[in-house]
Amino acid sequence: ARDERSAVLCYMCAGNVDRAVHIWLEQEARQPGTSTRRLQAVLEKMCVLLALDVCKQGPTPTVAADKFTSCAEVLAAQGRLALAMQYLVRAGQLGPVGAALQERIFGSDPRNAAAVPADQHPPFPFEREEVGVAP
């Protein structure tokens, strides 16, 4: 039998966010409820873990960034764009989904273009390509 509680405690003490979150994800997958509720349960634990000094030493771990992005997607779908953007900022290095969401949220409010200096706009996550008219 796996002693998941002891394993999580060891990973927490070692600052291994990835392994602790993976165990929590496995535990939550076995629980009843909606995927949003399970995501929230993992996020709560993960945020407490990331607040520990042992976990503040480097960039946000990939698994944490992925969960922050998932949460931002849910919040954006519910119209909570400012809160979704906060989760994307917390995620740090964003993957393609997070970068596209960040750019779309930023571009959804025309006041951002004037209020935020151009060098602080989120990067455009897609490749630009000139499209002409077919003959």
Side-chain angles (χ1 to χ4, degrees):
R2 294 174 43 179
D3 186 3
E4 292 177 336
R5 286 183 155 193
S6 296
V8 167
L9 182 59
C10 288
Y11 291 135
M12 289 172 69
C13 292
N16 191 335
V17 176
D18 285 329
R19 292 300 308 147
V21 171
H22 282 295
I23 290 175
W24 290 330
L25 289 170
E26 290 172 4
Q27 289 174 337
E28 288 301 322
R30 296 188 299 260
Q31 299 298 318
T34 65
S35 60
T36 304
R37 293 268 184 226
R38 290 192 302 264
L39 175 62
Q40 180 181 355
V42 171
L43 276 173
E44 288 171 357
K45 295 173 189 174
M46 189 177 69
C47 287
V48 170
L49 178 58
L50 290 172
L52 298 175
D53 286 337
V54 72
C55 298
K56 291 182 180 178
Q57 297 170 359
T60 304
T62 304
V63 68
D66 290 345
K67 293 304 147 199
F68 284 137
T69 299
S70 296
C71 184
E73 287 179 291
V74 170
L75 291 167
Q78 295 172 349
R80 312 254 341 250
L81 300 180
L83 190 55
M85 185 63 94
Q86 289 176 6
Y87 275 95
L88 291 172
V89 169
R90 178 102 190 257
Q93 188 68 19
L94 296 172
V97 172
L101 182 60
Q102 184 180 42
E103 197 275 331
R104 289 180 178 143
I105 292 172
F106 183 84
S108 69
D109 188 349
R111 295 174 292 187
N112 287 338
V116 178
D119 63 334
Q120 294 179 8
H121 289 203
F124 189 68
F126 306 106
E127 186 177 318
R128 294 185 190 271
E129 187 173 317
E130 290 296 321
V131 179
V133 177

